[in-house]
């Protein structure tokens, strides 16, 4: 855990050297994590563990990014667990990799936990597929670090929603709508 905190502080100090430049053309891939979850929320009050990361392919020819975000949340006290995997197509507005972008995405979510329908302890599993749109931006440094922020809105294509009993103040994928706000994602391009 101490290593993660040192890494996070190093990333924050490196932000001072970030500036709105486009990604160098020899860098085609990127990985990013959300260290906020690791440092602040995991494990949280509800025995909550959250992991969030993304693998990206940068398409310099088309000024686009194909990103595959992964998200896992486990709430031990609530007996709830979810995993999501997305595929995002992000088109940068300046036709180069960097700056503002618009995106479209598809999401698959797997949910598992205590149901809301029964008084006794019943366990259910569910898989959902959704679609959405988003907007965001990327800021790259000359040595490969980058920071991204985005707002994504969507809807699941199923009417089978709000099945799980979750008392915690947490946004989950049990709702019919998708809302993702990313502000603390840091990455490295190579």
């Amino acid at each position: 855990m101490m290593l993660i905190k040192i890494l996070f502080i190093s990333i924050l100090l490196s932000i001072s050297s970030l500036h709105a430049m486009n990604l160098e053309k020899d860098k085609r891939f990127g990985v990013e994590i959300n260290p906020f979850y690791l440092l602040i929320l995991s494990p949280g009050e509800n025995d909550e563990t959250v992991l969030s990361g993304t693998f990206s392919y940068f398409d310099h020819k088309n000024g686009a990014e194909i990103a595959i975000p992964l998200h896992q949340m486990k709430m031990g006290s609530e007996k709830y667990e979810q995993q999501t995997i997305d595929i995002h197509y992000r088109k940068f507005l300046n036709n180069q990799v960097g700056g503002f972008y618009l995106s479209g995405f598809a999401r698959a979510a797997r949910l598992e936990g205590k149901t809301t329908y029964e008084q006794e302890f019943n366990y259910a599993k569910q898989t959902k597929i959704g679609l959405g749109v988003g907007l965001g931006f990327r800021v790259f440094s000359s040595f490969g670090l980058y920071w991204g922020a985005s707002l994504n809105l969507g809807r699941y294509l199923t009417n089978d929603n709000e099945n799980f009993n979750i008392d915690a103040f947490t946004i989950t994928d049990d709702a019919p709508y998708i809302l993702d706000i990313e502000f603390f994602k840091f990455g490295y391009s190579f």
Side-chain angles (χ1 to χ4, degrees):
M1 189 64 156
M2 183 57 127
L3 180 62
I4 293 171
K5 288 180 182 181
I6 292 170
L7 177 64
F8 182 66
I9 291 169
S10 298
I11 290 171
L12 289 177
L13 293 174
S14 299
I15 290 174
S16 63
S17 66
L18 292 176
H19 53 285
M21 63 180 283
N22 297 320
L23 182 63
E24 296 172 10
K25 295 203 185 271
D26 64 335
K27 297 184 187 290
R28 304 198 52 83
F29 300 98
V31 291
E32 62 185 327
I33 62 166
N34 189 335
F36 177 75
Y37 288 134
L38 294 173
L39 298 173
I40 306 300
L41 296 179
S42 296
E45 248 178 59
N46 296 315
D47 196 22
E48 184 176 337
T49 306
V50 181
L51 300 172
S52 176
T54 303
F55 177 78
S56 295
Y57 168 72
F58 299 111
D59 180 2
H60 292 279
K61 182 178 179 182
N62 296 308
E65 174 185 359
I66 298 170
I68 303 173
L70 303 166
H71 184 266
Q72 179 173 356
M73 177 171 53
K74 185 175 183 179
M75 299 169 60
S77 64
E78 297 290 329
K79 308 273 191 270
Y80 178 78
E81 187 173 339
Q82 76 178 27
Q83 294 90 30
T84 63
I85 183 169
D86 296 4
I87 185 154
H88 289 243
Y89 181 80
R90 299 170 175 165
K91 176 68 175 152
F92 290 92
L93 299 180
N94 63 2
N95 288 323
Q96 297 180 17
V97 178
F100 286 94
Y101 63 81
L102 299 175
S103 69
F105 70 91
R107 171 175 290 178
R110 187 181 83 57
L111 315 174
E112 185 176 339
K114 188 168 56 171
T115 65
T116 58
Y117 297 124
E118 303 291 333
Q119 295 292 338
E120 57 193 60
F121 182 75
N122 284 339
Y123 221 66
K125 293 181 181 181
Q126 180 181 17
T127 301
K128 300 166 70 170
I129 304 293
L131 297 173
V133 296
L135 59 99
F137 67 92
R138 293 264 189 249
V139 178
F140 292 94
S141 76
S142 58
F143 48 90
L145 288 178
Y146 62 93
W147 173 54
S150 65
L151 172 64
N152 297 293
L153 303 170
R155 179 150 177 51
Y156 283 105
L157 303 176
T158 177
N159 288 329
D160 190 17
N161 298 298
E162 299 174 352
N163 293 325
F164 297 94
N165 187 13
I166 304 163
D167 292 330
F169 180 73
T170 303
I171 296 174
T172 68
D173 283 84
D174 191 30
Y177 299 101
I178 300 169
L179 171 64
D180 281 340
I181 301 170
E182 296 179 339
F183 190 70
F184 293 107
K185 275 204 166 173
F186 297 92
Y188 181 73
S189 58
F190 52 95

